Amino acid sequence: MATTREFARTAIGPSNRLFSNFKVMVESAFYGNNVEHIGDLTTAYHLAQQAPGVVTTDMPVAHTAELGLPADAKVLVANDGKVVGRTAAARRIIGQPGIDAKDYGDLLREAMFIGTRRQFYTGDVVVGLDREFSVQAHLMLNQDYAANFYTYLLNFQIATASALQWYEQSQPLPESDIYVYADPDWAHPDFPNGLALFDPEHNVAAILGLRYFGELKKATLTLAWATAHRHGFTACHGGMKRYDLGTRKFTMAAFGLSGSGKSTITLAKHAGKYQVDVLHDDAFVINKRSGTTTALEPAYFDKTADYAPSDPDLKYFLTAQNVGITLDEHGQKVLVTQEVRNNNGRAIKSRYLTPNRVDHLNEPLNAVFWIMKDDTLPPVLKITDPTLAAVFGVTLATKRSTAENLVGKVDMNALVIEPFANPFRCYPLGEDYADFRELFASGKISCYVLNTGYFNGTKVTPSVTLDAIGKIVENAAAFTPFGPLANLEYLALPDYAIDFHDPDYVARLRLRMQDRLQFVQTQQTANDGYNALPDEAATMLQQLIDHLN
């Protein structure tokens, strides 16, 4: 099988690199007498129904037989309190500068001892849906959060007998299985915002004092992406799809933070104009040798903001988080979506939302789209130099979204840089830069930037973005040199005129490029240079700035 769960007794001990004190601490907890293993979705569904505060709606789940759910299963809703998003400030990575492994080891032992006084469930899933890349993961979660436990088993591929049959034939990896321990009721005065502790080299994590379901999902993906990265894959927090044009196929990946339009772009049906196959809208890996891609999850964990209660796509909802409930005209309990209760309402949607869903694409990647919200960039840019393409990925400029629980006073409208739209990286940034630089250097992958925010005060609408992508897919997009900037071209579109004779615009564009340069330069020394980048990154940006002076 792909990763290792069982060991010969002669292979157990400190000489085996798959063992660490963190791995032993976390895995040991799974076998306690306060732990009950749940091996099927029907049982998990009924347990979730009984969890504190869970609402069983009157909205039936579609495709129950295929999903392994009771025939009469309904959408379940679990709501959190104040925090309804991910808390990046809670993350700590063992092995990174400034992280004292001994202190965190002591803290984790105490947290897990306290946890023995609570009851937990454990469950097993497969992450990676093709034999080319697949790992097994195990979750241990406080029983009071059975709704999140059920949602986790839905989000990933639950380890059924049939799933394990193909999993055991997948490519072997010299890695331990993933173990995630989670106790949302843990509290500590030194960590008022919770603690998400990772030992990525040994595939274990502890998620403490955090209720939001996304913490469990992203913790698992953090470790799966790191495993993939160590074994010849590029880790991708993005969407991936394939267009079948009859005489040829076109594959594209879109990278952006939540709220940037990543899911909209990936799941767009283009009014039936194209035959489109969707790999996933959030998590996949690229085989660096072949360029093929593999989805990590079968389901979708997406915002409910754009779904009205009458939307027919709600029949593909499985669970919902942080949304309201009301009675419809028939007295049935239904969802109140569109962020009426709070921001960042979420739902797990089944793979059947996209009838053209695939788990693996054999066709190599053709194009990468960096999704940004930089008001100095036109709706569509094309980057023709591989180094500059990687540089724009590493300086992906966007805005914070309501999917995040931001600690302290944060300006939601301020532009921030999130390299490759992946805040879940647990290894040096320079390694991701090298991976993407290598992809573009092959000469087979084109690079584009999509601005889905505003350009010079004019909103870039989804229809503008999707129409532009259609032109690129059809090889009908005519690009124009982006002023004096070498290796950059733009797609001329009505309502988004570019004027390099406007000194105000040029000054704002120059400032944005300087922001990117400053970010790159800061990485050279911040955190003891852990995320330092090659000199070429700063050189490329300085050349752009020089041409704008």
Side-chain angles (χ1 to χ4, degrees):
M1 63 177 64
T3 51
T4 302
R5 185 176 191 180
E6 299 174 346
F7 299 84
R9 293 192 183 189
T10 55
I12 299 172
S15 61
N16 187 334
R17 67 171 186 82
L18 299 185
F19 284 86
S20 73
N21 61 328
F22 289 96
K23 182 233 178 349
V24 172
M25 275 189 279
V26 171
E27 183 187 356
S28 297
F30 278 68
Y31 310 122
N33 60 10
N34 62 321
V35 177
E36 179 183 357
H37 181 264
I38 307 300
D40 66 278
L41 282 171
T42 294
T43 302
Y45 172 78
H46 290 306
L47 291 172
Q49 282 187 298
Q50 303 306 313
V54 168
V55 176
T56 301
T57 70
D58 294 308
M59 301 168 59
V61 171
H63 298 280
T64 52
E66 296 92 333
L67 292 167
L69 292 172
D72 62 349
K74 303 295 194 298
V75 175
L76 303 184
V77 176
N79 287 328
D80 297 323
K82 177 181 178 182
V83 177
V84 292
R86 289 178 280 101
T87 305
R91 289 169 69 90
R92 303 290 189 279
I93 312 295
I94 300 301
Q96 291 191 357
I99 301 298
D100 190 316
K102 182 184 182 304
D103 284 352
Y104 280 103
D106 293 346
L107 183 127
L108 180 58
R109 279 200 311 278
E110 185 67 17
M112 302 191 88
F113 172 77
I114 293 170
T116 61
R117 274 53 182 169
R118 302 188 181 108
Q119 299 300 304
F120 284 76
Y121 294 128
T122 63
D124 312 318
V125 298
V126 175
V127 185
L129 303 179
D130 189 81
R131 293 182 180 90
E132 186 167 284
F133 178 79
S134 189
V135 301
Q136 192 166 179
H138 313 282
L139 172 68
M140 178 174 170
L141 179 60
N142 184 325
Q143 284 187 9
D144 282 346
Y145 300 87
N148 275 355
F149 180 82
Y150 169 61
T151 294
Y152 184 90
L153 299 183
L154 290 169
N155 182 81
F156 295 104
Q157 172 58 58
I158 187 172
T160 60
S162 59
L164 289 176
Q165 186 175 17
W166 64 257
Y167 168 75
E168 290 170 358
Q169 300 171 13
S170 58
Q171 291 294 322
L173 296 170
E175 298 276 354
S176 170
D177 283 7
I178 291 171
Y179 291 88
V180 177
Y181 172 92
D183 184 2
D185 288 339
W186 177 86
H188 193 287
D190 293 343
F191 298 92
N193 300 300
L195 173 64
L197 183 63
F198 296 85
D199 178 1
E201 291 292 331
H202 301 94
N203 272 343
V204 293
I207 310 303
L208 306 173
L210 296 161
R211 303 177 193 140
Y212 178 59
F213 168 74
E215 302 286 2
L216 304 178
K217 168 185 160 76
K218 294 304 187 186
T220 305
L221 290 175
T222 292
L223 297 174
W225 275 322
T227 299
H229 171 73
R230 290 194 291 268
H231 296 283
F233 294 85
T234 301
C236 300
H237 179 224
M240 180 77 196
K241 66 196 298 186
R242 174 180 63 197
Y243 295 80
D244 188 342
L245 303 175
T247 57
R248 63 184 178 87
K249 294 178 180 178
F250 182 91
T251 60
M252 61 163 282
F255 294 80
L257 289 183
S258 296
S260 66
K262 170 169 54 76
S263 294
T264 299
I265 290 168
T266 305
L267 302 179
K269 298 179 174 64
H270 296 277
K273 185 177 181 180
Y274 312 104
Q275 169 61 43
V276 178
D277 298 309
V278 174
L279 185 79
H280 203 260
D281 72 337
D282 188 60
F284 66 98
V285 295
I286 303 171
N287 186 319
K288 291 199 290 183
R289 178 180 55 82
S290 64
T292 56
T293 50
T294 299
L296 299 186
E297 311 159 288
Y300 307 100
F301 179 55
D302 290 335
K303 289 188 173 187
T304 59
D306 296 330
Y307 289 90
S310 58
D311 194 312
D313 281 350
L314 264 66
K315 67 182 178 181
Y316 299 110
F317 282 25
L318 304 176
T319 65
Q321 300 80 38
N322 301 316
V323 300
I325 302 292
T326 192
L327 302 178
D328 70 5
E329 67 271 30
H330 305 294
Q332 295 186 324
K333 295 188 290 293
V334 298
L335 302 183
V336 180
T337 51
Q338 299 171 299
E339 305 204 329
V340 175
R341 180 185 185 268
N342 48 259
N343 291 325
N344 199 41
R346 291 273 174 162
I348 292 288
K349 300 176 287 187
S350 78
R351 64 182 297 124
Y352 300 102
L353 174 74
T354 48
N356 48 350
R357 174 63 193 272
V358 294
D359 294 330
H360 180 78
L361 290 175
N362 284 317
E363 293 83 3
L365 183 63
N366 293 126
V368 164
F369 292 78
W370 306 127
I371 307 174
M372 306 199 191
K373 290 192 174 182
D374 180 342
D375 63 3
T376 66
L377 300 181
V380 186
L381 273 180
K382 183 176 183 179
I383 307 175
T384 58
D385 177 84
T387 301
L388 190 59
V391 168
F392 265 75
V394 86
T395 59
L396 189 146
T398 187
K399 293 183 179 181
R400 292 301 181 196
S401 79
T402 56
E404 300 166 278
N405 172 41
L406 300 170
V407 176
K409 294 183 178 180
V410 178
D411 183 358
M412 294 291 289
N413 292 313
L415 207 64
V416 295
I417 289 176
E418 192 62 75
F420 307 110
N422 191 354
F424 313 106
R425 181 183 307 97
C426 58
Y427 48 86
L429 175 58
E431 295 180 14
D432 259 358
Y433 175 86
D435 283 353
F436 282 102
R437 173 69 174 78
E438 182 181 345
L439 287 176
F440 293 123
S442 70
K444 299 176 182 178
I445 301 174
S446 300
C447 182
Y448 303 88
V449 175
L450 300 175
N451 174 14
T452 58
Y454 287 80
F455 176 64
N456 285 341
T458 302
K459 179 71 176 82
V460 182
T461 63
S463 62
V464 168
T465 299
L466 294 175
D467 286 349
I469 291 173
K471 291 179 180 178
I472 291 170
V473 170
E474 297 172 7
N475 285 332
F479 285 89
T480 301
F482 190 47
L485 303 183
N487 302 308
L488 288 175
E489 302 171 349
Y490 74 98
L491 184 64
L493 296 171
D495 302 323
Y496 304 97
I498 294 176
D499 183 4
F500 274 91
H501 296 292
D502 178 354
D504 177 66
Y505 171 69
V506 173
R508 288 191 296 111
L509 180 60
R510 184 170 58 249
L511 284 174
R512 287 285 184 262
M513 295 301 175
Q514 288 173 338
D515 288 343
R516 288 180 164 84
L517 176 60
Q518 182 178 1
F519 173 84
V520 169
Q521 291 172 333
T522 299
Q523 305 315 305
Q524 308 309 100
T525 55
N527 208 19
D528 294 338
Y530 182 80
N531 288 316
L533 295 160
D535 291 342
E536 65 184 19
T539 299
M540 294 294 288
L541 289 167
Q542 187 61 61
Q543 289 174 354
L544 294 180
I545 294 168
D546 291 344
H547 283 95
L548 290 171
N549 286 328

